[in-house]
Each structure stands twice: as C-alpha cells, then as structure tokens.
Amino acid sequence: MTETMKRWVLARRPNGFPVDADFRLEEVPMPEPAEGEILVAVSHLSLDPYMRGRMDDVASYTAPQELDRTMGGGAAGVVIASRSDKFKEGDLAFGMFGWATHGALPASECRKLDPALSPSTSLGVLGMPGFTAWAGLEAYARMKEGETLAVAAATGPVGSMVGQLAQRKGLRAIGIAGGPEKCGLLTDRFGFDAAVDHRAHGSAKDMRAALAEVCPDGIDIYFENVGGPVLGGALPLMNLHGRIIICGMIAWYSGESDETGAIPLQKLWRLALVKRLTVQGLLQTDHVARFRDFAAEVTPLVKEGKIAYLEDVSEGFETMPAAFFSMLKGGNTGKQVVKV
C-alpha cells in the first residue's frame, strides 16, 4: 500500500469567483484507520454548488471550509482496509472523504454501495442531489395531479430528478436550462413537457415571456436552484397558493448582482401576499431520517431505467478545480463528477 495520498486544500478565501490560486494540491501521509473505521481508495469525487458557499467565512447553515484543510465533499471508492465488521476489503463505500485520493472515516458515517451500480451514482442520482429533490417535493411541494412545476438548472442531478418525480405524480414539468443542447436533453432524455433556454432570454422580462408561453396556466410549484433573471421570470407567473422551494442560488454564489437580485423587498413581499405564496428553504440535512425511504423508492427505478440521469465526468484528480469552476458557470451537463 502506498504511504502517501493527494489532497486539495483551500489555500485562501476567494474574492468573487474562485481561481486556481485559491487551492493547493498537496501530498500527505496516508491515514491509518482507527478502531471502527474504514480506509477507502477514492474512485469518484463529487462537485456541488454548495461548496462555493462554504469557501466564504460567513455564518451559514454549515461551518465554513477551513483554510489549509482538505476541501470537504462526498466521494466514493473501494475499501482497502477495515477495522469494522460493517465493511470488508473490496466493498464499495460512500463517505465525506473530501477532495482526496484516500480517506479514513468511522464506518457508521459511511454508506455501503450496491456493486451492481457505478459508485458515481452515490454522488448524484442516488446520493445527496437526488435525495434533495425527493425530500423537497415530499416535504413541501404538496403536489396535485395536473399542476405545473417549473425547475431551474433542470439538467443537473437535482433538477432532472425533480422533473421526473413530479411527472410520476401527474404534474406538467417545465425545465429551465442553458443552451439548446441542454434543453433538448430535457425533453428527449428526461421527458420534460417543455424546456426554456435561459441563455436565449437574458433578462427577467424575457424569461417571463418565454415561461408564459409554456406555462399558459401559470406556475404552481417553482423549484429554485439558480436565482438571477430565471427567478425574476418565474415569480410573476406564480399562481394563487403557489409553492416556491429554495434549494440553491448558483447565480449569486460569488457575489454577482443583477436586476432580480436588486428587486425591492416591498415588491417581493407584496407578490407573496397577493398570491398567498409559500416560500420554503430546503436543506436535505433536515430530512436525512428519510434517506432509506428515498433509496427504497428510487433505486429500483434507476435500475429499471425509469429514472434517467446524466453524469459529466472529468478525468483525473488534478482536474478538480477546473471542473469546479466549469460547474459554477453551468459548463457541466448532468452531475459533475471527477474520476481519480
């Protein structure tokens, strides 16, 4: 067994959009698993928008990423040493190993994976993003057959799951994505009822007009992943007693501003009052007790091909920062994964 491993650490806090100098690649000693722990050789690493928020030293729903420490994140791989009766060598495992080629964690904090599926599925469709979509709809959407649901960043692992699950409940699913290729995927691969290209409609006014064409009866549920003009276009179309589920705001994560971000609070508050909207923040950590329910429902659907998914795989551990930057700008198609 090699005596060292590689990891990416946060070298400094970004000033706006992150750059290469904010990260540092290090070679460090391989960890030794303690009693009750497993040591995993990572094969696939997850990149997710929330990681950008943790890079800032501000109060949030989770602690900021520490400087000069391994960047946090989920990863999957093969158990190469076990001091727990829950795992044996050769098992596949998921855990929060971070941006590293290897990691040791208590077995109780890891999840054993189905060898019939790629370990990468534990990072997306059957992992935190897929569960986020499922939990948000189950807890807050109050879905009714025939309603219209719109979701932003719809080709991503959260958005694509949201649309497909909504359709299984008899709703119309409208996806919002960037570019004609992604919009084509929404209707052709994921089966959405319609798609809107936000890159072709750069202002909130243009987005509203484009959404109105495919949502003639308004929007009952808006699953928010983006913010920006996309949100500005959806807000005026919300129906009475509409539900807005706030999952993410990737357009604003690096301090960007736009016409929607500058909307006067009085206008937003009046819209919520007049339409009697429910606006609900969503953190999947509030619902982890139901992860087994999610897995029991969705895993068979994935295996049977009834839930489609896409993965954008970047080859090589050294590509982590570049793949991260691309994802933040919407350059990925599907769940962003890095293969070691």
Side-chain angles (χ1 to χ4, degrees):
M1 185 186 301
T2 179
E3 296 180 355
T4 62
M5 66 175 222
K6 293 180 179 180
R7 68 174 186 174
W8 285 99
V9 303
L10 184 64
R12 66 181 190 184
R13 301 206 180 278
N15 180 16
F17 194 85
V19 296
D20 286 330
D22 298 326
F23 302 94
R24 184 173 65 251
L25 180 60
E26 297 182 342
E27 189 164 336
V28 295
M30 179 78 69
E32 289 281 346
E35 185 65 33
E37 291 188 338
I38 59 173
L39 176 63
V40 168
V42 170
S43 61
H44 298 82
L45 302 106
S46 179
L47 288 174
D48 302 284
Y50 79 85
M51 295 172 177
R52 174 60 188 89
R54 291 196 65 231
M55 294 172 71
D56 293 330
D57 189 10
V58 296
S60 186
Y61 57 85
T62 187
Q65 170 67 42
E66 293 183 86
L67 293 175
D68 302 315
R69 295 290 187 92
T70 306
M71 276 289 297
V78 179
V79 177
I80 57 175
S82 177
R83 298 189 65 187
S84 167
D85 57 8
K86 295 181 179 179
F87 288 86
K88 65 181 184 299
E89 290 185 18
D91 283 343
L92 298 177
F94 166 86
M96 299 301 289
F97 300 109
W99 293 21
T101 58
H102 298 76
L105 285 175
S108 59
E109 297 179 10
C110 300
R111 185 168 78 248
K112 187 178 292 187
L113 304 180
D114 187 336
L117 294 166
S118 168
S120 61
T121 58
S122 70
L123 310 178
V125 64
L126 294 175
M128 181 272 291
F131 176 61
T132 297
W134 182 91
L137 293 177
E138 287 288 314
Y140 306 128
R142 306 196 300 274
M143 294 179 287
K144 298 176 184 175
E145 187 174 354
E147 288 188 323
T148 296
L149 173 144
V151 56
T155 59
V158 176
S160 59
M161 180 70 81
V162 165
Q164 292 178 88
L165 292 178
Q167 284 187 314
R168 295 183 68 82
K169 296 288 187 179
L171 281 73
R172 290 187 70 243
I174 310 302
I176 304 164
E181 180 182 354
K182 287 186 177 181
C183 287
L185 287 170
L186 285 177
T187 54
D188 299 340
R189 183 177 180 88
F190 295 117
F192 279 62
D193 294 283
V196 173
D197 180 0
H198 69 78
R199 290 182 180 169
H201 306 90
S203 70
K205 181 180 179 180
D206 289 344
M207 276 300 304
R208 177 182 181 179
L211 283 169
E213 286 189 17
V214 295
C215 302
D217 298 320
I219 298 172
D220 298 292
I221 304 166
Y222 176 56
F223 203 103
E224 169 67 311
N225 291 313
V226 172
V230 175
L231 172 62
L235 280 172
L237 300 178
M238 295 302 300
N239 288 330
L240 288 177
H241 305 292
R243 287 81 75 196
I244 298 175
I245 301 172
I246 306 175
C247 179
M249 297 165 287
I250 195 169
W252 295 327
Y253 280 167
S254 294
E256 299 90 343
S257 182
D258 57 44
E259 58 185 304
T260 314
I263 184 173
L265 181 60
Q266 65 191 59
K267 288 189 176 181
L268 178 60
W269 237 228
R270 177 169 176 76
L271 178 67
L273 168 64
V274 172
K275 295 292 186 72
R276 280 85 92 194
L277 301 179
T278 299
V279 181
Q280 175 68 54
L282 166 63
L283 294 180
Q284 58 89 22
T285 49
D286 292 337
H287 307 277
V288 290
R290 297 201 63 192
F291 189 90
R292 289 186 178 180
D293 296 335
F294 156 73
E297 176 182 334
V298 178
T299 301
L301 297 176
V302 172
K303 286 185 171 181
E304 295 166 13
K306 295 179 179 178
I307 291 288
Y309 66 96
L310 282 174
E311 295 176 346
D312 196 322
V313 181
S314 181
E315 296 280 348
F317 184 68
E318 289 73 14
T319 67
M320 290 289 288
F324 182 56
F325 304 153
S326 176
M327 178 202 64
L328 291 177
K329 293 179 178 178
N332 59 305
T333 301
K335 167 61 186 170
Q336 184 64 67
V337 174
V338 172
K339 187 175 181 182
V340 174

